[in-house]
């Protein structure tokens, strides 16, 4: 296991290196001068040249990239053009908001999807099965921003139960954090739950048709025992992959939802950086998202071996 983890970490380093190169090259294709945007319409040539020199933009592209790469290896992702603050600090400040939203949304989705998907598979063709499939199709088809707007109109505007936007840190006030995270997490969680419900149902149906399940039923075991002991664990393998992909995507920031609910996460930070052409912040945010994706994938591979002893990691 230790050798596997070390090898995957080395591979992740290579992937992150490729990400930095691709993002750096793509940013060079964006028209406009980020320094001029940062300074506004009124600036003197001395200030302009000083900021370009500070950002290293007065050097050749190859030197710019390797200077950025060298600093990134030490944790220095540069300085924001817009605020003048270190990018590492800015990105890490936004990470807790994204983590809290992503984890809450995934937990909310799993609380809906697992019982609904399992019951749908066990009682295939029943009313519950049809309702689960309608819910899954609805969640995939309806845009999340529309559900978010409807949620704001209903729960914040009409009923007045929840705040329409804003963010309070969990460590600052758990009750206020819960009230603020409820709407965005429910909006994202419903979409995630609809995707998970479909995968759980199909995975359960596939395992239920296996010979060893029919043998267990022929022995007289109750349906509850068969599902919990023989079906559910084997059906979790593909489901874990989908959950991990959804979690990694949410950790990357749900830009539309974060903008809609004024949620100060990675997605909102990326959106603001694009608007302001704040390239160092944009590069830092993309690098963090890539690292989170790789970390989640590594944890999933390790979890596979725990769920199914037939899967070995080498």
């Amino acid at each position: 296991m230790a050798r596997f983890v070390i090898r995957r970490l080395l591979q992740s380093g290579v992937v992150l290196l490729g990400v930095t190169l691709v993002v750096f090259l793509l940013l060079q294709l964006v028209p406009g001068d980020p320094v001029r945007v940062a300074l506004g319409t009124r600036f003197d040539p001395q200030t302009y040249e000083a900021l370009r020199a500070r950002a290293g933009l007065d050097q050749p592209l190859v030197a710019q990239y390797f200077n950025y790469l060298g600093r990134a290896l030490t944790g220095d992702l540069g300085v924001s053009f817009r605020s003048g603050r270190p990018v590492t600090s800015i990105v890490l400040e936004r990470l807790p908001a994204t983590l809290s939203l992503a984890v809450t949304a995934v937990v909310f989705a799993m609380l809906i999807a697992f019982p609904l998907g399992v019951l749908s598979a066990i009682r295939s063709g029943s009313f519950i099965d049809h309702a689960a499939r309608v819910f899954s199709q609805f969640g995939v088809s309806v845009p999340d921003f529309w559900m978010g707007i409807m949620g704001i109109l209903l729960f914040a505007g009409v009923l007045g139960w929840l705040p329409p936007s804003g963010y309070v840190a969990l460590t600052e006030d758990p009750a206020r954090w819960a009230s603020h995270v409820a709407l965005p997490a429910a909006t994202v969680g419903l979409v995630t739950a609809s995707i998970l419900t479909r995968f759980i149902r199909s995975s359960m149906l596939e395992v239920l048709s296996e010979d060893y399940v029919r043998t267990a039923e022929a022995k007289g075991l109750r349906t509850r025992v068969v599902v919990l002991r023989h079906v559910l664990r084997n059906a979790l393998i593909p489901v874990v992959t989908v959950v991990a992909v959804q979690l990694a995507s949410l950790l990357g920031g749900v830009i539309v939802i974060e903008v809609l609910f004024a949620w100060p996460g990675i997605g909102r930070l990326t959106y603001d950086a694009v608007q302001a052409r704040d390239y160092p912040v944009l590069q830092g945010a993309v690098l963090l998202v890539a690292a989170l994706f790789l970390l989640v994938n590594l944890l999933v591979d390790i979890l596979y071996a725990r769920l199914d002893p037939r899967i070995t990691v080498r």
Side-chain angles (χ1 to χ4, degrees):
M1 179 65 74
R3 292 174 57 189
F4 169 77
V5 172
I6 293 174
R7 187 171 67 252
R8 286 297 302 271
L9 289 176
L10 293 175
Q11 293 172 352
S12 299
V14 176
V15 173
L16 289 177
L17 180 64
V19 170
T20 60
L21 179 60
V22 171
V23 173
F24 178 81
L25 293 177
L26 288 177
L27 290 178
Q28 305 308 313
L29 301 178
V30 178
D33 189 341
V35 176
R36 290 182 181 273
V37 175
L39 293 175
T41 56
R42 296 181 179 179
F43 60 89
D44 56 85
Q46 291 78 12
T47 304
Y48 174 78
E49 294 298 334
L51 185 55
R52 280 183 56 85
R54 181 183 179 186
L57 298 178
D58 57 340
Q59 301 177 6
L61 288 180
V62 176
Q64 289 182 38
Y65 173 71
F66 281 104
N67 288 337
Y68 172 77
L69 188 61
R71 293 194 306 268
L73 292 175
T74 64
D76 181 8
L77 299 178
V79 178
S80 169
F81 290 157
R82 190 175 185 181
S83 64
R85 298 178 55 209
V87 172
T88 305
S89 300
I90 296 174
V91 173
L92 292 180
E93 284 177 2
R94 299 294 187 99
L95 185 58
T98 293
L99 283 175
S100 63
L101 176 59
V103 173
T104 305
V106 169
V107 171
F108 178 82
M110 292 171 64
L111 291 176
I112 296 175
F114 270 93
L116 193 59
V118 171
L119 289 175
S120 176
I122 295 175
R123 302 179 182 179
S124 180
S126 65
F127 172 78
I128 294 179
D129 184 28
H130 291 300
R133 284 188 285 179
V134 170
F135 165 74
S136 179
Q137 192 64 37
F138 174 82
V140 173
S141 304
V142 176
D144 52 2
F145 70 86
W146 184 85
M147 284 195 288
I149 294 173
M150 293 299 103
I152 292 173
L153 290 176
L154 177 61
F155 294 103
V158 177
L159 300 176
W161 292 352
L162 299 170
S165 61
Y167 169 74
V168 176
L170 175 61
T171 55
E172 179 181 336
D173 190 335
R176 291 183 60 201
W177 168 84
S179 65
H180 281 82
V181 79
L183 275 178
T187 302
V188 178
L190 284 175
V191 177
T192 305
S194 63
I195 298 173
L196 290 179
T197 300
R198 177 179 296 182
F199 275 91
I200 292 171
R201 179 183 181 275
S202 61
S203 182
M204 288 284 295
L205 287 174
E206 183 179 352
V207 176
L208 283 169
S209 63
E210 295 289 340
D211 292 336
Y212 66 86
V213 176
R214 288 195 290 266
T215 301
E217 293 174 339
K219 289 180 179 180
L221 294 178
R222 291 180 298 176
T223 303
R224 178 183 177 184
V225 176
V226 173
V227 171
L228 294 178
R229 184 176 299 178
H230 300 284
V231 178
L232 193 56
R233 184 168 183 172
N234 292 315
L236 281 178
I237 300 297
V239 176
V240 167
T241 303
V242 180
V243 172
V245 170
Q246 293 298 314
L247 177 60
S249 300
L250 295 178
L251 289 175
V254 189
I255 296 179
V256 174
I257 298 300
E258 290 188 1
V259 171
L260 178 63
F261 289 96
W263 194 263
I266 299 297
R268 179 64 183 269
L269 177 66
T270 304
Y271 174 81
D272 291 339
V274 171
Q275 291 287 96
R277 294 181 181 175
D278 198 343
Y279 295 165
V281 173
L282 183 58
Q283 286 177 298
V286 172
L287 189 61
L288 176 63
V289 171
L292 291 174
F293 261 96
L294 293 171
L295 177 61
V296 171
N297 287 333
L298 174 60
L299 295 177
V300 167
D301 288 340
I302 295 174
L303 185 58
Y304 278 166
R306 299 297 182 186
L307 290 174
D308 192 345
R310 296 171 298 179
I311 300 176
T312 58
V313 290
R314 301 176 181 176

